[in-house]
Amino acid sequence: MNSDQEQPYRFFGTQEEGINGVRSAVFDNAPIGVFDSGFGGLTVAREIMKALPNESITYFGDTLHCPYGPRSLEEVQGFVDAICTWLMDRKVKMIVIACNTATAAGLAFAQTKFPVPVIGVVEPGARAAARATRNRRVGVIATKGTVESGVYTDAIRNIDAGITVFSTATPRFVEIAEMGLRMAKGPIESYTSLASQVYIRPEFQEIAQDYLDPLRRCDVDTLVLGCTHFPLLKSLIGGVMGRDVVLISSAAEVARDCVDVLTRQGICAEQGHEPIYEFFTSSEDLDDFRRFGERVLRFPLDDLQHIVL
Ligand code: DGL
């Protein structure tokens, strides 16, 4: 076998580019598969759409099994397996696990089992936090499953072992995000902005204070929103933590990783390719999913289907 046959892609440009692992521009218009336990991952999908406007996306929200947070990691890994298998049947070229709990439970498993690149949301968030902290004291709020897995602590301390990580499970934030969202109207931006504090009812504030006061006392200067629902509560969380604490959401960082992976693998969609966005949910309430999705994405979710895996 000569070297051309051994190499599935042709390196382009100089040899240095090949050595750095950048593949030649072989186009692939297949979709990127993105999934979450429900709505939250749409905030990640939105950033991918912005960063990669030619890429098609197949999104699955496992609303039937949401929340993943209180379930065992074994059970969540089973969901990851079923969803990735289904996405592979739909011929995706890459998979983004847009859920922290599912990343904690099943990223390594999925990367080992499936023959396409699979990325999660924990490592990108950890990287952004390690970059942002000045006093090397980082807080992480996430679901019980994510906190107990220790993935954020490991990922942050793999980057800088001198960082002290304080993690706390804030399960009621998932509930508050969903409830607040149903109460609020208009585009998601106004819901998440500081001006949207109208929806924050006193009991939400009290719950947030109970969860976050211990972290404030730990003097963290950076807080990872380690659940895809939490960016929706930015004004509530930021209000309690104070202006000096940087809030980290991994969505934009994940989109940058997608660009990097597709470019390095040489599997970007062609310039000018008209992307196709398909949405699937395991919930029977398509209207609920559509209402939320349209507020996040700002376009009609015409192609939304119910599917049970
Ligand atoms: N989307 C999940 C995450 O990022 C949170 C909601 C759930 O518990 O399913 O961890």
Side-chain angles (χ1 to χ4, degrees):
M1 195 187 263
N2 67 31
S3 60
D4 276 357
Q5 285 166 315
E6 280 163 13
Q7 183 52 254
Y9 298 106
R10 177 175 54 84
F11 286 130
F12 72 105
T14 65
Q15 203 179 358
E16 280 77 10
E17 282 167 326
I19 288 166
N20 286 336
V22 179
R23 306 275 184 184
S24 69
V26 175
F27 297 114
D28 187 342
N29 291 337
I32 300 171
V34 182
F35 72 92
D36 177 47
S37 60
F39 304 139
L42 287 172
T43 54
V44 177
R46 180 177 63 173
E47 292 303 321
I48 297 173
M49 289 169 188
K50 272 195 230 160
L52 290 159
N54 299 125
E55 298 294 340
S56 295
I57 291 179
T58 298
Y59 184 91
F60 179 76
D62 195 8
T63 320
L64 180 68
H65 299 118
C66 187
Y68 280 2
R71 297 175 188 270
S72 72
L73 292 179
E74 290 71 30
E75 187 181 16
V76 176
Q77 183 177 296
F79 297 148
V80 171
D81 191 8
I83 298 166
C84 290
T85 302
W86 175 79
L87 285 170
M88 291 305 300
D89 288 347
R90 299 194 68 85
K91 308 274 184 277
V92 299
K93 63 182 172 189
M94 174 182 180
I95 295 174
V96 179
I97 306 184
C99 170
N100 293 265
T101 317
T103 300
L107 176 65
F109 164 83
Q111 285 174 332
T112 316
K113 175 162 179 182
F114 299 99
V116 295
V118 184
I119 65 169
V121 284
V122 170
E123 208 266 334
R127 212 186 311 134
R131 262 202 306 259
T133 183
R134 295 283 166 268
N135 70 0
R136 295 162 104 198
R137 297 172 77 79
V138 173
V140 176
I141 53 172
T143 64
K144 183 171 168 283
T146 303
V147 169
E148 286 179 359
S149 73
V151 281
Y152 267 107
T153 309
D154 292 346
I156 293 169
R157 289 174 52 80
N158 274 342
I159 299 166
D160 180 349
I163 295 176
T164 308
V165 182
F166 302 88
S167 308
T168 186
T170 56
R172 292 203 66 196
F173 277 167
V174 176
E175 189 191 310
I176 291 177
E178 298 220 344
M179 201 195 303
L181 204 55
R182 288 192 172 92
M183 283 161 44
K185 289 199 171 40
I188 210 80
E189 277 71 15
S190 54
Y191 172 73
T192 57
S193 78
L194 281 175
S196 70
Q197 291 190 354
V198 277
Y199 79 90
I200 298 167
R201 304 217 305 214
E203 58 264 44
F204 288 5
Q205 184 80 28
E206 227 169 89
I207 294 166
Q209 235 135 10
D210 281 353
Y211 280 146
L212 301 174
D213 277 346
L215 286 175
R216 280 191 342 152
R217 285 198 292 275
C218 291
D219 192 29
V220 299
D221 72 350
T222 303
L223 180 67
V224 179
L225 307 180
C227 169
T228 49
H229 276 65
F230 297 174
L232 303 171
L233 297 173
K234 228 170 166 176
S235 60
L236 174 66
I237 295 167
V240 173
M241 293 306 290
R243 280 166 183 264
D244 295 340
V245 176
V246 178
L247 303 185
I248 304 286
S249 145
S250 53
E253 201 74 23
V254 172
R256 274 192 283 275
D257 279 9
C258 280
V259 175
D260 188 55
V261 168
L262 296 183
T263 308
R264 285 187 175 280
Q265 299 280 323
I267 51 171
C268 294
E270 275 170 287
Q271 281 297 321
H273 172 250
E274 194 68 38
I276 297 166
Y277 300 139
E278 301 174 299
F279 300 91
F280 298 85
T281 171
S282 50
S283 160
E284 283 184 16
D285 193 346
L286 289 185
D287 286 342
D288 196 43
F289 196 92
R290 184 176 285 114
R291 255 196 313 275
F292 177 78
E294 291 182 349
R295 287 178 55 207
V296 177
L297 300 170
R298 305 260 203 123
F299 59 77
L301 253 68
D302 296 327
D303 199 349
L304 172 65
Q305 294 170 54
H306 170 244
I307 184 160
V308 175
L309 303 182

